[in-house]
Amino acid sequence: MTTAPTTAPTTGTALVELDDVSKYYGNVRALEGVSLEVHAGEITCVLGDNGAGKSTLIKIVAGLHRHDAGTFRIEGEDVSLASPREALDLGIATVYQDLAVVPLMPVWRNFFLGSEPTKGAGPFKRLDVERMRATTRAELLRMGIDLRDVDQPIGTLSGGERQCVAIARAVHFGAKVLVLDEPTAALGVKQSGVVLKYVAAARDQGLGVVLITHNPHHAYLVGDRFVLLKRGLMAAVHTKDSVTLDELTRQMAGGSELEDLRHELERPSAT
């Protein structure tokens, strides 16, 4: 049985709103008629299997690709983003699964990568290393991240710790919306729990969070809204109080399709 999408109640102007958005690559439909809302202090989870359209959705919100149809609004204003820099200037920070870090550089240098403060002028202008070290340490502690040493190469951190540094960096640089691309995909249970804790911390800082994942258990732990994608289409929309974890998992796993497969794979009864 297919569950009809239910519309989540809204509170105030959404930080990000996609209304009936579509994206095509030639004759290939990547997304069609997708809608979602992201509100301050809430986590919107986008779930789907490989090929569901999650990556395309990220690229639209992050400014990598323009949408072909529908409406994309940021704080109520219609936009068509031309670049990731434009998205960042409007308060949308995206943390990708493969994390754009320089492994051999220290944590503080990666924290400020591309936005390094300087001191002095003219030929005496130089990086303000002391400020970057102190700010990195303070911002990580503010998010509850207590690293042993911000001078250690970021490549020596665990995958979960690197994700947490990226989240703290986005909060520090004024992001209003944080888009996280499968942040727990390559992590074990303990590290996944650490990352989800800091995702919730970003929400508690007042950010609107978009969590892209194929794991309904992780989504249900922190999510307020759930958008399920299937082959570029919306399969369902739920709020936390309108769906159980079991039902969300069933829909994510294919529901009736799995039941049909189970019947096909059953051993024939002995005669």
Side-chain angles (χ1 to χ4, degrees):
M1 186 178 89
T2 302
T3 302
T6 58
T7 303
T10 59
T11 53
T13 302
L15 294 175
V16 166
E17 182 180 2
L18 272 62
D19 185 11
D20 208 26
V21 163
S22 301
K23 177 65 183 177
Y24 302 92
Y25 299 102
N27 294 325
V28 178
R29 178 196 70 197
L31 283 181
E32 186 168 342
V34 172
S35 300
L36 66 80
E37 292 183 3
V38 183
H39 289 260
E42 289 187 0
I43 298 175
T44 298
C45 298
V46 180
L47 299 103
D49 212 339
N50 292 335
K54 304 190 301 298
S55 295
T56 302
L57 183 65
I58 289 175
K59 289 172 182 175
I60 291 172
V61 176
L64 280 167
H65 291 174
R66 294 179 187 267
H67 57 290
D68 294 321
T71 307
F72 180 9
R73 301 185 187 93
I74 297 179
E75 295 186 277
E77 298 291 327
D78 289 5
V79 297
S80 181
L81 301 178
S83 69
R85 171 53 62 183
E86 188 177 344
L88 197 57
D89 290 343
L90 292 172
I92 299 175
T94 303
V95 178
Y96 292 99
Q97 186 178 339
D98 54 1
L99 292 179
V101 297
V102 183
L104 295 179
M105 282 187 176
V107 173
W108 61 264
R109 188 66 190 269
N110 275 278
F111 192 91
F112 280 92
L113 198 61
S115 303
E116 294 88 347
T118 58
K119 60 182 179 180
F124 302 104
K125 188 175 182 180
R126 61 198 183 281
L127 294 178
D128 193 342
V129 175
E130 294 82 4
R131 176 181 169 189
M132 285 190 279
R133 282 196 181 112
T135 301
T136 299
R137 188 175 291 109
E139 288 300 309
L140 292 178
L141 282 173
R142 189 162 71 92
M143 290 288 291
I145 306 167
D146 189 8
L147 287 184
R148 296 176 295 279
D149 182 9
V150 296
D151 280 304
Q152 69 188 100
I154 200 167
T156 64
L157 302 183
S158 68
E161 287 172 327
R162 289 196 296 272
Q163 286 281 355
C164 296
V165 170
I167 292 170
R169 182 184 191 278
V171 172
H172 171 70
F173 283 102
K176 298 178 183 178
V177 176
L178 181 61
V179 183
L180 299 167
D181 174 23
E182 300 273 10
T184 62
L187 304 179
V189 174
K190 184 176 180 180
Q191 286 294 317
S192 294
V194 170
V195 171
L196 291 174
K197 183 172 77 169
Y198 295 122
V199 171
R203 173 201 63 199
D204 295 342
Q205 294 272 345
L207 277 71
V209 180
V210 181
L211 176 63
I212 311 293
T213 182
H214 64 270
N215 190 318
H217 294 271
H218 292 169
Y220 202 79
L221 279 172
V222 296
D224 299 291
R225 303 164 186 265
F226 308 96
V227 176
L228 276 72
L229 298 181
K230 183 176 181 181
R231 297 172 187 168
L233 302 172
M234 292 180 69
V237 182
H238 300 288
T239 54
K240 184 70 167 277
D241 58 3
S242 70
V243 68
T244 64
L245 173 58
D246 286 345
E247 178 59 18
L248 189 67
T249 303
R250 189 191 72 82
Q251 292 183 27
M252 174 71 187
S256 59
E257 294 178 11
L258 275 185
E259 185 65 18
D260 292 341
L261 180 61
R262 184 178 69 82
H263 287 303
E264 290 179 25
L265 296 177
E266 281 182 347
R267 293 177 182 272
S269 58
T271 55

